[in-house]
Amino acid sequence: MTTPKRPADIYLRFLQLAEALRGLPSLPSLDPLEERILAIVARAGQDEQRLSVRDLMGKKELGSPATLHSRLTSMREKGWIMLSDTEDTRRKQIELTQAALMHFDKLSRCLVQAAKQN
């Protein structure tokens, strides 16, 4: 393999390594909107912010409430997210599953590996 000559080469190598993860048996794949939702849930968790279904549905850039509801249902069935109760039983908190956290750990290792190859 040739040595990366530009900073973009690190990112492109990361994409290549991350794509290889998709071929491994783990969680079912996500569509692009589900990937955006997953990133929002992950960032909220990283920032120790609570993210309810209602909060997510308030993000108009993600589409209609019906679309988001179907995507959340799909993501739960695929094992990426879980909904937990809050003080108000009508509101559900969105959280990553342990399997989703492990997926982010793998992506992180891909990023570190791509940077080391520079």
Side-chain angles (χ1 to χ4, degrees):
M1 173 175 206
T2 61
T3 304
K5 295 172 181 48
R6 309 176 318 216
D9 292 338
I10 295 170
Y11 181 70
L12 295 172
R13 177 67 180 145
F14 163 70
L15 291 178
Q16 181 183 23
L17 293 169
E19 185 65 31
L21 281 180
R22 291 193 172 129
L24 298 176
S26 59
L27 294 172
S29 63
L30 299 172
D31 69 30
L33 179 56
E34 291 171 339
E35 286 184 10
R36 280 184 71 194
I37 294 167
L38 189 71
I40 290 168
V41 173
R43 282 194 306 268
Q46 186 71 23
D47 295 341
E48 297 181 7
Q49 295 177 347
R50 300 182 82 181
L51 181 69
S52 69
V53 173
R54 175 182 260 175
D55 296 333
L56 193 65
M57 290 194 179
K59 296 183 181 295
K60 301 296 182 203
E61 68 273 13
L62 296 177
S64 72
T67 298
L68 285 172
H69 187 271
S70 67
R71 291 307 199 285
L72 290 174
T73 299
S74 170
M75 293 172 73
R76 284 180 62 205
E77 291 170 354
K78 292 176 182 178
W80 288 95
I81 62 169
M82 60 186 169
L83 302 180
S84 55
D85 291 327
T86 63
E87 305 83 40
D88 181 351
T89 57
R90 297 170 295 173
R91 292 178 66 106
K92 299 291 183 185
Q93 182 81 21
I94 307 170
E95 298 175 357
L96 297 177
T97 62
Q98 191 62 36
L101 291 169
M102 288 173 41
H103 174 75
F104 281 114
D105 289 344
K106 290 175 188 174
L107 285 176
S108 177
R109 286 192 292 275
C110 288
L111 185 58
V112 169
Q113 182 179 350
K116 281 183 180 177
Q117 291 178 348
N118 185 17

